Amino acid sequence: MVSKEGILMDEGILIKIIDFPRDYRFNFLYLLHVTEGWYSVTPEDVAIHIAERCRCDIIIDAFCGVGGNAIQFAFTCHQVIAIDIDETKLMCAKHNAMIYGVADRIEFILGDYLKLIPKLKADVVFLSPPWGGPNYLSAKTFDIKTMIPMDGEKLYRESLKITNNIAYYLPRNVNIQQITNLAGRGNTCEIQEVYINGKLKTMVAYYGELVDMDFCENNA
Ligand code: SAH
């Protein structure tokens, strides 16, 4: 897979651009897309890239959906804890993980991530919460506090109880200042713009030790 990388300065914030040449969802035929899981699944090349960036011992995929990210984490992490509140999606994720031959490395948990936080331990948390339905792009800027159903700022703060190493998958119109502020005063976060075939698709913000400090220092 060939991806192009670049940088962009936006109001003093350094943004990394990454462009993927293909828009695969899952590259197999048996995806059980009985729900909107198909539309919310992270494109496979993007999920592979994120999994590489999140390489660690134990990772939590807090909103695993049909498994687009969890499956790729199983290739780069020792153990994956994949959570979803929707039983059907979790069933799809298990099925898909079996097809990829990684079901044994993923622990699937049915439940509300926010309620499970006190019981969870991990090196990295990956957040890809719902974006409030298909109209998320109709707003000029996507406000994570009001437009992510469980309050995206609270979600980040609560996740800090598990680890500082957080990767946050967000819409392309997300309020950049808001996701930068999550890092807290004096701390750095890394923001990636994800392109597919030259079209901006999504954003990924990395916090804690997931930040590529060499990249930030060399381009600041
Ligand atoms: N990254 C996934 C897609 C995630 S879509 C993929 O690539 O396949 C967001 C998911 O969050 C949905 O499957 C939804 O059921 C789940 N969800 C919503 N609220 C939740 C909660 N409180 N706890 C855990 N999962 C939740």
Side-chain angles (χ1 to χ4, degrees), residues 26 36-37 40-43 47 61-70 83-86 89 111-114 126 128-131 150 169:
F26 283 104
E36 89 281 358
S40 48
V41 67
T42 304
D61 184 355
F63 303 88
C64 79
V66 297
N69 295 100
I83 300 166
D84 206 282
I85 203 164
D86 180 325
K89 297 228 184 73
D112 180 339
Y113 167 64
L114 282 166
F126 175 68
S128 62
W131 297 343
M150 67 281 297
Y169 190 68

Side-chain angles (χ1 to χ4, degrees), residues 22-91:
R22 57 175 195 169
D23 187 7
Y24 276 12
R25 298 286 142 155
F26 283 104
N27 59 5
F28 58 77
L29 297 175
Y30 303 108
L31 178 79
L32 301 172
H33 51 102
V34 287
T35 62
E36 89 281 358
W38 177 252
Y39 301 102
S40 48
V41 67
T42 304
E44 186 158 79
D45 287 344
V46 180
I48 291 171
H49 174 84
I50 295 172
E52 198 48 60
R53 289 295 308 269
C54 293
R55 190 176 274 278
C56 68
D57 195 17
I58 306 176
I59 189 161
I60 294 170
D61 184 355
F63 303 88
C64 79
V66 297
N69 295 100
I71 288 168
Q72 299 307 328
F73 290 139
F75 291 110
T76 60
C77 304
H78 191 244
Q79 195 197 340
V80 184
I81 299 167
I83 300 166
D84 206 282
I85 203 164
D86 180 325
E87 197 168 6
T88 310
K89 297 228 184 73
L90 208 65
M91 197 183 78

Side-chain angles (χ1 to χ4, degrees), residues 126-195:
F126 175 68
L127 301 172
S128 62
W131 297 343
N135 292 330
Y136 69 88
L137 285 174
S138 54
K140 190 168 170 283
T141 49
F142 183 93
D143 180 337
I144 64 166
K145 187 168 178 58
T146 57
M147 296 173 78
I148 290 180
M150 67 281 297
D151 175 352
E153 286 184 355
K154 176 176 166 215
L155 176 61
Y156 178 86
R157 280 197 311 274
E158 290 294 307
S159 299
L160 288 175
K161 292 177 181 164
I162 304 173
T163 178
N164 292 336
N165 308 328
I166 296 173
Y168 211 153
Y169 190 68
L170 292 159
R172 59 180 179 257
N173 56 339
V174 71
N175 182 334
I176 300 284
Q177 195 63 59
Q178 196 178 29
I179 56 171
T180 307
N181 290 347
L182 291 181
R185 196 176 275 271
N187 295 323
T188 305
C189 78
E190 180 187 337
I191 300 167
Q192 267 185 347
E193 284 191 342
V194 178
Y195 285 71

